[in-house]
Amino acid sequence: MEDILKKIIAQTTQDLKARKKTTSLSELRDMPAYSRKVISLYQSLKNGSGIIAEHKRQSPSKGSFKCPRSLEEVVKGYEKAGASAISCLTDQPFFGGTLQDLIEARGVVNIPILRKDFMIDLYQVHEAKAFGADAILLIASCLNNEELKTMSLEAMNLGLELLFEVHDLEELTRIKEVTDAFAIEKYVIGVNNRDLKRFQTDIQNSNNLIPYFPSGVIAISESGISNPEVVKELRTLGFQGFLIGETFMKTEQPGASCEQFIKAINS
């Protein structure tokens, strides 16, 4: 079966070259959002519902979700529903997102925004800051340890927070090695229940990895979560956050769906 991740990374590399030619680093630094103080993802997850509600128009495995609501309606609905944060996909070829989505979302909500993309270059860290993100996603399967360290330090220097994504114990061990190499006070590790190579989902992945998480970190379960009872179970295992997109985006009103979901997990 085709390795979708390799295809995505190849396309991301190509698109990145074009963006670098269009917008310089100095131009990114001049954008209004670049100087803003970020809203803490870590604190919002710790003190709120734990739901990171995702704006995602499509996926490589499911195609378009055909959500009839605008980005503004969706993210404002998520905030009103009680989401701790917004995940905003900015990959265009595979997920239908854009960097402009970050700006639009930042303009209408007052909760943290995670830039969800395939981050492979320091330039993207500066893009995230310039377009209004509060945190970035670093996927272990896309980066070696040196790249993880370099991009983490760059993000921290810009005031951005970090969500490290892992899929297996080897990747989790690598992230622990990286974070042990320097002092990070506020970071989050997420288990992606979806295999990025074949886009198959298994919630058991979260169950298997949580015993190996470092103490003090906020643990997130990502992908394939559609049942509030699953969230309740994952909470008992130690998860404090849950990244959910498709479950909401495939409905007529994602904000209302998110609100019902949060009420259900708290009942």
Side-chain angles (χ1 to χ4, degrees), residues 246-263:
E246 180 183 331
T247 297
F248 303 146
M249 290 299 298
K250 67 184 182 183
T251 66
E252 290 286 315
Q253 298 195 46
S257 300
C258 181
E259 184 174 13
Q260 291 166 7
F261 195 93
I262 290 173
K263 285 180 180 177

Side-chain angles (χ1 to χ4, degrees), residues 83-97:
S84 286
I86 304 292
S87 170
C88 188
L89 263 152
T90 58
D91 171 88
Q92 198 282 322
F94 298 92
F95 294 92

Side-chain angles (χ1 to χ4, degrees), residues 25-88:
L25 265 179
S26 61
E27 287 173 315
L28 289 177
R29 292 189 181 104
D30 287 338
M31 291 176 66
Y34 196 88
S35 59
R36 64 177 280 274
K37 184 178 179 180
V38 304
I39 307 168
S40 175
L41 173 67
Y42 182 92
Q43 290 299 333
S44 189
L45 288 169
K46 196 172 183 179
N47 301 325
S49 66
I51 298 298
I52 304 176
E54 187 160 86
H55 181 267
K56 176 168 67 172
R57 294 185 178 89
Q58 64 190 48
S59 81
S61 58
K62 302 289 179 66
S64 173
F65 298 129
K66 297 182 171 61
C67 179
R69 303 296 167 184
S70 68
L71 177 140
E72 180 176 335
E73 289 176 300
V74 171
V75 298
K76 285 174 73 173
Y78 284 158
E79 182 178 38
K80 183 175 178 288
S84 286
I86 304 292
S87 170
C88 188

Side-chain angles (χ1 to χ4, degrees), residues 36 45 48 106 139 145 168 188 241 244 265:
R36 64 177 280 274
L45 288 169
R106 180 73 283 150
I139 304 172
N145 282 19
D168 54 38
V188 183
I244 304 173
I265 64 175

Side-chain angles (χ1 to χ4, degrees), residues 3-6 8 118 139 141-142 165 167 192 194-200:
D3 187 330
I4 299 175
L5 182 59
K6 283 185 179 179
I8 291 174
F118 297 83
I139 304 172
S141 56
C142 295
E165 180 176 292
H167 298 83
N192 195 336
R194 180 172 289 119
D195 171 7
L196 288 181
K197 293 183 178 180
R198 296 172 177 81
F199 270 65
Q200 296 172 341

